[in-house]
Amino acid sequence: MAALAASAQAAPGYAQAGAPAVAQLREGSHDFDWETGSWTTQLRYLPEPLTGSSRWVEYRGTSEVRTLLGGRANLVELSVEGVSGRIEGVSLRLYNPLSRQWTLNFANVRNGLLTSPVTGAFDDKGRGTFYGMDSVNGRSVFVRFVISDVTPNSARFEQAFSADGGTTWETNWIATDTRR
């Protein structure tokens, strides 16, 4: 899977799938500074992605964000629950000063495994777009993670999968955080 992620990030067609070229030029080591603190998280999740299912499940809980290494990294603890159960996980975000990009790494405590990272950056309007590879039902797919509508007291997080090389995307995770 790591080889697929590396090749997808280097492929010219993949880079054109929406990664903003301007974001590569700006220094972004403090792009997540706004997020430090405690948040109420509203989460909608599509549990059967890329199957044609339109069944969403909803969760509510908290996210706690701590800055590490002077802002060049942060740690997010997610804990949400709903009628479908509980999701607990941790996201480690790391800034690479050479590429001027962030990697976002997520682990769900249910299986204790770290997912393949998504890599990207924020543009000059404050929108973060990150791409990587994932696996759905045994097949490799592109994953896109977007952070948008960032204000001092709220933000939106959206994940989507593409099984056709980035031509079409299916959103499968939408979270809205509001500062507590």
Side-chain angles (χ1 to χ4, degrees), residues 61-113:
T62 60
S63 294
E64 299 289 334
V65 183
R66 286 187 267 308
T67 299
L68 305 169
L69 302 172
R72 296 166 300 173
N74 71 31
L75 189 69
V76 181
E77 289 183 67
L78 172 71
S79 179
V80 294
E81 58 186 294
V83 296
S84 295
R86 185 173 188 83
I87 298 174
E88 291 181 295
V90 63
S91 181
L92 175 64
R93 298 159 174 169
L94 301 167
Y95 184 70
N96 180 334
L98 296 176
S99 67
R100 297 185 178 189
Q101 293 181 311
W102 287 87
T103 57
L104 284 55
N105 307 270
F106 183 77
N108 188 321
V109 298
R110 185 177 318 133
N111 64 15
L113 299 175

Side-chain angles (χ1 to χ4, degrees), residues 23-45:
Q24 305 306 322
L25 303 176
R26 53 183 293 287
E27 200 289 321
S29 65
H30 291 280
D31 282 341
F32 281 104
D33 285 0
W34 60 270
E35 196 180 16
T36 300
S38 299
W39 300 84
T40 297
T41 300
Q42 295 279 98
L43 173 65
R44 293 182 64 222
Y45 172 62

Side-chain angles (χ1 to χ4, degrees), residues 9-22:
Q9 291 170 358
Y14 181 69
Q16 294 172 358
V22 175

Side-chain angles (χ1 to χ4, degrees), residues 159-174:
Q159 177 181 277
F161 289 149
S162 175
D164 59 12
T167 301
T168 60
W169 294 90
E170 178 185 77
T171 301
N172 58 54
W173 175 284
I174 301 169

